[in-house]
Amino acid sequence: MQTNKIPVIAIDGPSASGKGTVAQLVARKLGFHYLDSGALYRLVALKTIQLHADTQNPGAAAEIAIHLNVFFKDEHIYLDDIIVTDAIRTEQCGIVASQLAAYPQVRAALTERQRAFRQLPGLVADGRDMGSVIFPDAVLKIYLTASAEVRAQRRHKQLIEKGMSANIADLLQDIQKRDERDSNRSIAPLQQGIDAKLLDTTSLTISQAQDAVLSWYNDVLAKTRV
Ligand code: CDP
């Protein structure tokens, strides 16, 4: 089957919106593959930190991205054969990831890696530019967001559950800074595409958000069957 016939659901949105959780649940429900594109940027950040490489040098970061030795298996992410599933979730990694993600060379180095996740029977991809750049022909594009305050609370809960320390006021500030950087960069900025459906989850539970995505996907299926 041609790769471009394999269905993709693209879920884009800002930091800590809960899109990762919703995307994983939808993927599980449909039996689809799942791409956490932010994890790739976080992996480049972790490797850059480990190597004490210069985060201001786009060329050096792109080299790291090209040679990234990463492997996804079940729930785990391996970098150079070491499990880094939790290590990439620190706020430091998120901040560096957002800096490196603004470099066109880094984004280009990760493009094919992301497209390689498009395999049968389908893919749910979450990130910032899934619908706009990586999978422009996605059958369903969603912009999943929530208020900055609710996102700070969600990130706080997530970090505490992982045994990491966190402070809501600092997280809110970090989220606002990250929103600004991700939305204002010149390449692949975070924004709701005109062809993307808005899913504001500020007052929705995870299960309600999941149901909304599945119901839109059912509409897509119904239309393609006609
Ligand atoms: O944890 P959070 O939801 O904030 O971010 P993430 O999805 O783990 O991604 C970390 C950073 O990578 C983001 O702040 C973005 O700057 C960047 N990113 C991107 O530029 N494009 C993507 N497709 C995914 C993430």
Side-chain angles (χ1 to χ4, degrees):
M1 189 182 209
Q2 276 176 295
T3 323
N4 63 7
K5 295 258 167 21
I6 299 174
V8 175
I9 299 177
I11 305 185
D12 291 304
S15 194
S17 50
K19 64 192 183 314
T21 310
V22 173
Q24 280 180 70
L25 287 170
V26 170
R28 203 171 303 155
K29 192 94 184 167
L30 296 172
F32 280 14
H33 298 277
Y34 166 61
L35 166 62
D36 173 3
S37 63
L40 288 171
Y41 289 93
R42 285 172 176 269
L43 284 156
V44 177
L46 180 62
K47 188 75 190 179
T48 304
I49 295 166
Q50 286 174 348
L51 294 174
H52 302 288
D54 183 4
T55 55
Q56 309 287 326
N57 180 342
E63 274 302 302
I64 290 172
I66 290 166
H67 299 290
L68 205 61
N69 175 18
V70 51
F71 182 67
F72 291 80
K73 188 164 191 312
D74 304 325
E75 307 284 282
H76 281 298
I77 303 172
Y78 296 77
L79 177 64
D80 300 325
D81 297 327
I82 293 168
I83 293 183
V84 293
T85 321
D86 286 341
I88 59 165
R89 297 292 155 202
T90 62
E91 279 306 288
Q92 189 202 7
C93 249
I95 292 165
V96 174
S98 157
Q99 284 165 359
L100 304 181
Y103 301 143
Q105 299 95 315
V106 171
R107 306 198 73 82
L110 294 178
T111 301
E112 284 316 312
R113 259 182 215 268
Q114 295 175 80
R115 292 192 176 141
F117 279 79
R118 186 173 197 170
Q119 286 179 19
L120 282 169
L123 175 71
V124 182
D126 105 56
R128 304 291 192 282
D129 60 345
M130 297 297 96
S132 55
V133 177
I134 305 297
F135 304 109
D137 60 345
V139 289
L140 176 60
K141 299 181 186 182
I142 292 167
Y143 186 78
L144 193 154
T145 190
S147 71
E149 288 72 20
V150 164
R151 287 187 281 132
Q153 284 162 15
R154 288 180 185 163
R155 176 53 49 89
H156 183 257
K157 184 165 170 274
Q158 188 187 39
L159 291 172
I160 298 295
E161 278 168 5
K162 286 192 189 299
M164 298 180 192
S165 62
N167 165 300
I168 295 205
D170 291 347
L171 288 172
L172 179 59
Q173 218 182 26
D174 178 36
I175 279 174
Q176 284 164 335
K177 261 197 233 146
R178 199 114 64 92
D179 280 359
E180 179 155 333
R181 190 165 38 224
D182 289 350
S183 310
N184 294 329
R185 68 184 175 212
S186 54
I187 179 163
L190 168 71
Q191 58 188 27
Q192 184 189 348
I194 44 164
D195 52 354
K197 293 183 182 299
L198 176 67
L199 183 54
D200 185 339
T201 66
T202 304
S203 48
L204 294 187
T205 63
I206 286 170
S207 149
Q208 287 171 323
Q210 175 197 355
D211 289 347
V213 178
L214 288 169
S215 143
W216 278 326
Y217 186 61
N218 280 333
D219 293 346
V220 169
L221 288 180
K223 272 195 202 127
T224 49
R225 266 192 219 112
V226 192

